[in-house]
Amino acid sequence: MNILLIGSGGREHAFAWKITQSIHCKKLFIAPGNAGTATIGENVPISVTDFKRLGSFCLENQISLVVVGPEEPLVNGLRDYFEATDELKNIPFVGPGKIGAQLEGSKDFSKKFMARHGIPTAASQTFTKESVEEGIAFIQKQPLPIVLKADGLAAGKGVLICDNYEQAQNEFNAMLLENKFGAASAKVVIEEFLEGIELSVFVAVDGSEYIVLPEAKDYKRIGDGDTGPNTGGMGAVSPVPFADGEFMQKVRERVVMPTILGLMKDHIPYQGFIFVGLMNKAGDPFVIEYNVRMGDPETQAVLPRIKSDFLELLMSIGTKTLGQYTLSVATSTATTVVMVAKGYPDAYEKGKIIEGLNVAATENSLVFHAGTVSGGSGTVHTAGGRVLGITGLGEEIPDAISNAYACVEKISWDGANYRKDIGQDILLLQK
Ligand code: AMP
Ligand code: GLY
């Protein structure tokens, strides 16, 4: 079959890598893709938000499955556009419609959803321009630190953790009264701070059936030892030792099942992935956030551990036959180290030639591209903040870590940066 994959990051390169291993894959197109996806499929220069051109591309190229990587087209209603168009509505589609995508697109929506369905999460209250005074009074009564969240999508920057009341008050005012995050901060959620260790849990959903995929731990801060500003994610490890049978059972019973049942009770159709960001607070799971897609870089650590046919998994999401799919997962481990451009997560450099790509990967490591473009005559240039995701594989986590870093060390460009401590916290926890 012909498949259209939408997106251009490391997550999409990992999807493309896994999809093209399937015997069912005839031709894979990626819109718009990156220099990595171009080596295994055909990149098509269509923006992820150009619904019309994505639709006509599907018709012209006999596409039998559409897979959406990032949240933006989902929140903006790409699925709804396909469903409203006669010629497109029968193409199996992986990714929720606009209403389901509100789980990520609106923090206020997701907090109300969790409250309605008894899903454990931090206590919170939502405020608007009209209720600024009440919000300020509310802030004064909260223990420190205080978590402020812009309601809408804010490119991963909309969450602020404030250590004192003055900062919380100033940021709250800036979000509501000075549109700090534009329309995304027209509503602000004030939330209790959860202490614990974070975990990313991924669920494939076809509307009624679901399968929990391997979990992963993300490394959000730019610097070693979890220092410096937040990023999209600087690394990942899968599996996560503290997510043992007992903890994952709690996650299924308290979070995953009530989420799927909640969607059904609320008559929200959902075919796609749900990524639950969790806090393990003294052995109990609390939801920090929902995302309506797979995680990046977590996907680069999760997918290499899936042994069963990933395209069949995607098809069974799109055709509501997930109940017939059997997931098979390797017991071995994966560690992903993200290599980023100089300056990231602030303004960063672009256009640097990447050296070593052709010799870097081994049988124990994989190179996934994110912000890269082909520079002609076989060269690859940096074109984004997060440039590459290098995944090491190994029986045990220390093997996966050393295989990842051995590969990272063979790759270079002017100003390349990466964390040196991915997975080290997990090794300490295991001791
Ligand atoms: P988000 O943009 O929702 O992924 O949030 C960014 C990061 O902020 C999360 O990954 C957590 O590390 C942190 N965070 C968000 N909400 C809370 C909370 N209620 N308590 C503690 N940390 C939080
Ligand atoms: N790594 C976190 C995310 O994909 O949002």
Side-chain angles (χ1 to χ4, degrees):
M1 68 170 85
N2 293 348
I3 303 130
L4 175 63
L5 171 64
I6 295 171
S8 62
R11 169 184 46 218
E12 286 75 27
H13 189 187
F15 269 53
W17 168 75
K18 205 72 185 160
I19 287 171
T20 50
Q21 286 170 11
S22 169
I23 48 162
H24 308 294
C25 175
K26 188 168 144 217
K27 182 136 200 202
L28 174 68
F29 298 96
I30 310 98
N34 58 38
T37 61
T39 63
I40 44 176
E42 185 176 326
N43 285 356
V44 286
I46 306 179
S47 147
V48 303
T49 49
D50 192 342
F51 293 2
K52 262 189 133 155
R53 286 187 60 212
L54 291 171
S56 44
F57 183 86
C58 286
L59 296 177
E60 287 153 17
N61 293 279
Q62 293 81 47
I63 297 296
S64 313
L65 178 69
V66 175
V67 180
V68 184
E71 66 281 8
E72 193 191 358
L74 297 169
V75 172
N76 290 342
L78 180 59
R79 186 192 185 94
D80 310 67
Y81 173 79
F82 271 61
E83 284 178 347
T85 310
D86 274 341
E87 306 82 46
L88 298 173
K89 68 180 179 201
N90 293 323
I91 302 178
F93 192 108
V94 177
K98 204 169 183 167
I99 298 179
Q102 286 295 291
L103 281 182
E104 177 166 359
S106 165
K107 304 267 188 214
D108 182 45
F109 177 96
S110 73
K111 294 304 282 193
K112 288 191 172 125
F113 176 87
M114 287 184 263
R116 197 158 57 240
H117 300 294
I119 297 164
T121 184
S124 74
Q125 208 156 315
T126 303
F127 298 91
T128 62
K129 211 175 239 175
E130 285 68 44
S131 52
V132 170
E133 300 292 316
E134 287 106 300
I136 299 288
F138 185 78
I139 286 174
Q140 306 303 332
K141 285 187 257 153
Q142 301 310 304
L144 292 171
I146 295 171
V147 183
L148 302 181
K149 296 187 171 183
D151 175 54
L153 294 184
K157 296 194 160 67
V159 174
L160 302 169
I161 298 175
C162 305
D163 296 321
N164 62 69
Y165 292 104
E166 193 188 344
Q167 183 198 6
Q169 201 165 314
N170 290 343
E171 293 290 358
F172 181 72
N173 281 334
M175 283 161 99
L176 280 179
L177 303 177
E178 293 154 30
N179 304 318
K180 177 164 178 160
F181 299 108
S185 63
K187 283 185 192 170
V188 173
V189 176
I190 303 182
E191 188 170 284
E192 168 201 3
F193 180 79
L194 296 170
E195 194 81 59
I197 318 176
E198 278 183 71
L199 177 69
S200 304
V201 171
F202 304 98
V203 190
V205 189
D206 75 355
S208 54
E209 304 285 338
Y210 69 88
I211 293 179
V212 179
L213 304 178
E215 75 287 348
K217 184 180 186 296
D218 184 14
Y219 292 77
K220 286 195 196 290
R221 303 293 194 97
I222 186 77
D224 285 3
D226 289 332
T227 51
N230 260 327
T231 68
M234 294 294 291
V237 177
S238 178
V240 182
F242 71 75
D244 56 14
E246 190 189 342
F247 182 76
M248 289 308 286
Q249 188 57 24
K250 289 183 190 171
V251 171
R252 282 169 195 269
E253 282 172 12
R254 299 181 193 174
V255 177
V256 177
M257 277 164 58
T259 299
I260 309 299
L261 286 174
L263 288 167
M264 291 168 75
K265 280 185 200 154
D266 291 348
H267 304 289
I268 300 173
Y270 200 106
Q271 286 170 269
F273 293 101
I274 300 183
F275 157 2
V276 194
L278 288 172
M279 194 67 90
N280 175 346
K281 187 179 162 192
D284 289 318
F286 287 81
V287 176
I288 298 174
E289 61 168 354
Y290 288 112
N291 296 300
V292 297
R293 53 178 172 80
M294 289 293 290
D296 194 346
E298 290 96 320
T299 300
Q300 292 95 293
V302 167
L303 261 49
R305 297 190 57 231
I306 295 183
K307 292 196 291 187
S308 39
D309 188 310
F310 187 65
L311 178 53
E312 282 178 16
L313 173 73
L314 295 167
M315 266 312 277
S316 58
I317 294 172
T319 55
K320 300 194 184 183
T321 53
L322 206 50
Q324 290 158 35
Y325 183 82
T326 307
L327 180 75
S328 165
V329 177
T331 50
S332 54
T333 68
T335 297
T336 302
V337 177
V338 177
M339 299 182 74
V340 303
K342 186 176 181 183
Y344 178 81
D346 298 322
Y348 52 80
E349 296 182 346
K350 287 187 195 174
K352 304 290 177 188
I353 294 179
I354 307 175
E355 310 279 359
L357 277 175
N358 297 335
V359 294
T362 63
E363 59 177 348
N364 293 319
S365 57
L366 296 155
V367 175
F368 294 115
H369 290 227
T372 65
V373 287
S374 307
S377 50
T379 62
V380 175
H381 294 202
T382 70
R386 292 192 292 173
V387 176
L388 299 170
I390 312 300
T391 298
L393 306 168
E395 266 322 297
E396 303 292 337
I397 294 171
D399 310 322
I401 294 173
S402 57
N403 289 333
Y405 281 104
C407 184
V408 166
E409 275 151 28
K410 290 187 231 162
I411 299 175
S412 61
W413 69 86
D414 179 23
N417 180 31
Y418 56 90
R419 273 180 67 159
K420 318 288 183 294
D421 66 340
I422 302 301
Q424 293 303 327
D425 55 339
I426 286 184
L427 299 184
L428 282 177
L429 277 177
Q430 279 183 306
K431 279 189 184 149

